[in-house]
Amino acid sequence: MGIINSIIQLGPAVMMPIIFFILALVFRIKIGQGFKAAMLIGIGFVGINLVIGLLLDSLGPAAQAMVDRFGLKLTVVDPGWPVGATIGWGTPIVPFVVFGAIILNLVLLLLKLTKTVNIDIFNYWQFMLTGGVVYAITKSITISVIVSLLHFLIAIIIADLTAKRIQEEFDLKGISFAHATSAIFVPIGMGMNWLIERIPGLRNVKASPDEITKKYGIMGEPLTLGSILGVLLGILAGFNVADILTLGIKVAAVMVLLPSMINILVQGLDIIREAAEALLKKRFPDREFYIGLDTALLVGNPAVLATGLLLIPGALLLAILLPGNKVLPFVDLASLVFLIPMAAPYLKKNLIRLFITGLVIVTLVLYAGTSIAPYYTEAAEMVNVKLPANVSSTTELANLVGGATTPLGWIFIELSKLFS
């Protein structure tokens, strides 16, 4: 665990090139070519993190201004996914879950029960977060490890089932996403699409960026969508004209730059994927394998990113209107985009369908957060997460993005109360 923790602390931009360089050598790629592939992947991750960082830094003040402007007074604060990651990587269950997940993945591969080789180790925190909250309730390492591994197993199953569709829709070959947050919302996306298809009028609305571009020209292009949404968020935040225009430019920049950064990463992936396919087909002629990666590769899609931006004011409005909700959306507002990318292909990447589904997903997340807040707060205290000085000591915590506030995470946490 000391070795694994030291690698994880380097962050994805360093960790992933190391992993992929080792994979390149395993798949008998020449050292020079393997180095190039690993560096392209690392550069891609740096670029993605820089652009997403620009998005989060730009939207953070706008989100805070909207919270203040709406006068929200709720007792459960969203401290953001970094706190969730701290809980996920901070409880005593970590060594058992990490090695258990790796062994489980290998066993499933050997038994031909999965095609996904999940190397997205950094995001293990998402299902370990569920286990961490369960540990806060039960104080049982055994129960918490079982819950975490079940969450991981279901994410792997969904990764396999969705791989082909996602690969086609996002033009990503040989990749799947065992993302313990986004994957869990795929069935909801499928169910919402089934429902919308049965609503006259709504089912006929064509609102993918490509269709908007065909009909309205430049209006459907990412730079236009980004600038319009950035200006809208600036107005809702009550910014002055200069800040509104600046936010519009920054969001437009994210919409244009993020796909370019993803393309750089994919260039490196393609080098290793092609070598892996050639070697694996020789060894396992009847098998197909997917590399399990982070959904950061999907959020650059214009429909996904635009919907994520629209969900910021949508989430704040829901927090006001939903009876019984206690969660104040805050730090994770800019990260809501990570809830929907895997469901996007099943909603035809249609902005209207995605937004409606996103509101349903956020509703479920807010109620799950309200329900688990006491235990989430206890888990945060257990790993020494401290509340900011301006937050009341009576305030509880629950973030919006993470395995614990998915429907699956909530079910596991509720069932664990039987063992408390």
Side-chain angles (χ1 to χ4, degrees), residues 25 33 42 48 143 151 161 198 217 255 276 286 289 298 321 335 358 383 391 396 403 410-411:
L25 298 180
Q33 194 73 347
I48 289 169
I143 293 171
H151 197 148
L161 295 174
R198 281 150 185 79
M255 295 283 282
D286 60 335
F289 295 92
L298 304 180
L321 298 177
S335 301
V383 297
V391 175
E396 293 178 322
W410 177 81
I411 289 169

Side-chain angles (χ1 to χ4, degrees), residues 134 137-138 143 375 411-420:
V134 168
I137 296 170
T138 64
I143 293 171
Y375 318 109
I411 289 169
F412 282 141
I413 291 165
E414 287 297 308
L415 289 175
S416 72
K417 294 178 186 176
L418 299 173
F419 302 93
S420 62

